[in-house]
Amino acid sequence: MRNNTDNNGERPPERHRGPVVLRRGRQSEDSTTDQRLLDSRGPSDWVHTDPWRVLRIQAEFVEGFGALAEVPRAVTVFGSARTPRDHPEYQLGRQIGAALASAGFAAITGGGPGVMEAVNRGASEAGGLSIGLGIELPFEQGLNPWVDLGVNFRYFFARKTMFVKYAQAFICLPGGFGTLDELFEALTLVQTKKVTKFPVVLFGSSYWGGLYDWIRNTMLAEGKINERDLALLHVTDDIDDAIGVVQEAYKAWEDTH
């Protein structure tokens, strides 16, 4: 343990920076926090420092919680941003968004183009609540025009918290790395009981079948997961089946709350 006194037994010189104590020559700053706040002159590098990023992160959580706190029951739908509007998967996304709205669920997506736009569009056209949680990316431009309630995020982890916190289920349409990222994070959260009664529907057996078979025939067969873990996934090609899984899980959740 470090001795809190100098060799002569006296407390070393110290400087306070809020809750932080700086000793033994670590007090290099010659201005106060108030002075640095009120004096607008000087370099702007401070906006890129880690303490400032913490405040930005906090603000993103506050804004997200505030915007979504009164959202009714909802389902998060993932899928590729690269799906063109004339693709069958786009039309499928619209149908799923509409089906969610008809079943009384808000539709949450990443707010971008492709399948996300399709789901938002279907939900909005059917009179449901269409939610988009966007992310600052160099290759995607803003929220799609079918988002009724939108929140933009700088940080993936803040955005991902909102996807899970305000949804009762995930539906994954064909997608890329982002969809896989959300899929396996959701499975991990359910497996470790961070969230409960949270089904994950893989829509499109021709797309997801190979992944499901690998999980069953390799991960399960080698004991890396168990049968209960495998049961967290539901593969289907039927919209009514997907909505039924969501409704059943929501009813089970209601019964325990």
Side-chain angles (χ1 to χ4, degrees):
M1 179 180 295
R2 179 187 289 274
N3 192 332
N4 289 327
T5 62
D6 284 342
N7 292 336
N8 59 7
E10 296 181 0
R11 187 177 297 276
E14 64 183 36
R15 182 185 181 91
H16 292 261
R17 191 176 66 195
V20 179
V21 176
L22 302 172
R23 290 176 174 160
R24 296 180 182 83
R26 301 297 196 269
Q27 322 88 289
S28 58
E29 295 175 348
D30 57 1
S31 62
T32 66
T33 300
D34 283 340
Q35 180 183 346
R36 292 191 298 275
L37 173 64
L38 298 174
D39 187 354
S40 60
R41 297 169 296 175
S44 61
D45 293 347
W46 59 274
V47 301
H48 303 296
T49 62
D50 285 343
W52 184 253
R53 288 191 181 99
V54 169
L55 295 180
R56 282 182 169 175
I57 292 166
Q58 178 182 353
E60 290 209 344
F61 279 107
V62 170
E63 290 291 341
F65 292 154
L68 303 172
E70 297 182 1
V71 165
R73 59 183 186 169
V75 174
T76 296
V77 185
F78 295 106
S80 177
R82 304 182 184 187
T83 304
R85 288 177 176 170
D86 60 355
H87 196 283
E89 288 170 5
Y90 185 94
Q91 302 307 317
L92 181 62
R94 287 180 68 180
Q95 293 170 16
I96 289 176
L100 288 171
S102 297
F105 290 90
I108 302 175
T109 78
V115 166
M116 293 177 282
E117 176 187 288
V119 173
N120 286 135
R121 181 175 180 178
S124 182
E125 290 175 334
L129 179 58
S130 171
I131 300 170
L133 307 181
I135 187 70
E136 184 180 281
L137 292 175
F139 47 82
E140 289 184 17
Q141 299 179 350
L143 296 173
N144 69 68
W146 298 99
V147 169
D148 300 322
L149 171 60
V151 183
N152 277 306
F153 293 87
R154 283 189 178 93
Y155 300 99
F156 270 109
F157 52 84
R159 178 188 188 225
K160 289 163 80 172
T161 298
M162 306 303 157
F163 280 140
V164 175
K165 180 174 176 59
Y166 294 101
Q168 277 72 52
F170 277 0
I171 297 178
C172 296
L173 277 75
F177 286 160
T179 300
L180 290 172
D181 175 45
E182 298 293 351
L183 162 64
F184 283 106
E185 176 148 333
L187 290 173
T188 302
L189 290 173
V190 178
Q191 182 193 50
T192 55
K193 301 189 184 302
K194 299 297 183 183
V195 295
T196 57
K197 304 296 182 185
F198 199 97
V200 179
V201 177
L202 300 180
F203 202 99
S205 60
S206 62
Y207 189 86
W208 296 111
L211 175 64
Y212 183 85
D213 290 343
W214 177 79
I215 292 173
R216 180 185 58 198
N217 298 332
T218 302
M219 295 180 74
L220 178 62
E222 295 188 8
K224 304 300 189 293
I225 61 171
N226 59 34
E227 291 283 355
R228 183 181 301 173
D229 299 328
L230 183 66
L232 298 174
L233 287 167
H234 183 84
V235 183
T236 187
D237 295 300
D238 184 81
I239 293 177
D240 290 338
D241 181 37
I243 302 301
V245 170
V246 171
Q247 290 175 316
E248 181 180 343
Y250 183 75
K251 185 178 184 305
W253 178 86
E254 277 192 316
D255 291 342
T256 61
H257 288 74

